Amino acid sequence: MKFFAVLALCIVGAIAAPLSADQASLVQSSWAGVRHNEVEILAAVFAAYPDIQARFPQFAGKDLASLKDTGAFATHAGRIVGFVSEIIALIGNESNAPAVQTLVGQLAASHKGRGIQQAQFNEFRTALVSYLSSNVSWNAATAAAWTVGLDNIYGLLFAGL
Ligand code: HEM
C-alpha cells in the first residue's frame, strides 16, 4: 500500500502544476520571437557550457566562432531547437499530453544511451532561459510560465533518463 502511495506521488510529481492556458500562450508567444534563431541559440548554449559542446564528436575541441558557420552546426541546431518548437506547439492542449510524453521519452532514451546526465540537461535549461530572458519580452509572468513549462518537461525527461 505504502509502495503504491509513493508511486502515485512520483507520477503526480512528474506532471505536477500543469500550465494554465495563459501560461501556455505566454510560452508560445515568447518562443515565436526566437524559434528561428537556431544557430544563435545552440551557440549560446555551447558558449555558456563548453562541456556540452565537448560531448559532440563532430564539434568537440573546435572553435565555436568558426563552427557556427558550418552546415553541420546548422543541421544540429535545427534538430535541437526544432525539438523545442515541436513540444511548445503541443503544450496547452490536454489531448496532446500523450504525444508530449512520447517525444520527451524518446529524447530521454536516445540521450540516456549516450550517457548524457541530468546535470548537463540542467545546464542546457539555464542557458536557454538566459538566452530567452535577453532576447524576448521578459517579465515575472513570462519567467513563471517558462519555469512551470520546463519543470513539467524536465519531470518527464528525468523520469526516463
Ligand atoms: C544537454 C546536453 C546534451 C548533450 C550533451 C547532447 C548530445 C547529443 C549528441 C552527442 C547527439 C548525437 C549527435 C550526432 O549524431 O551527430 C545528440 C542528438 C540529438 N539531440 Fe542532444 N544533447 C543534449 C541535449 C539535447 C536537448 C536539450 C535536446 C532537445 C531539446 C536535444 C535534441 C537532440 C536531437 C533531436 C538529436 C538527434 C536525434 C537523436 O539522436 O535523438 N539534445 N545529442
Side-chain angles (χ1 to χ4, degrees), residues 29-119:
S29 59
S30 52
W31 182 245
V34 294
R35 57 178 299 220
H36 294 302
N37 302 353
E38 293 98 339
V39 164
E40 201 180 297
I41 293 173
L42 188 61
V45 171
F46 282 6
Y49 295 105
D51 59 290
I52 296 184
Q53 179 179 336
R55 297 301 300 263
F56 291 86
Q58 53 180 339
F59 304 143
K62 295 196 175 149
D63 171 53
L64 184 55
S66 357
L67 200 55
K68 266 179 79 174
D69 296 330
T70 65
F73 191 85
T75 299
H76 196 68
R79 280 197 201 128
I80 293 197
V81 178
F83 183 90
V84 177
S85 293
E86 215 174 335
I87 297 297
I88 288 178
L90 292 168
I91 61 171
N93 179 344
E94 196 43 44
S95 66
N96 289 335
V100 171
Q101 284 190 16
T102 302
L103 288 168
V104 176
Q106 286 167 350
L107 183 74
S110 69
H111 287 67
K112 185 177 182 178
R114 297 186 176 101
I116 314 296
Q117 295 184 344
Q118 293 189 5

Side-chain angles (χ1 to χ4, degrees), residues 8-35:
L9 275 176
C10 291
I11 293 168
V12 170
I15 55 168
L19 279 174
S20 67
D22 282 352
Q23 286 178 320
S25 296
L26 263 180
V27 168
Q28 284 164 336
S29 59
S30 52
W31 182 245
V34 294
R35 57 178 299 220

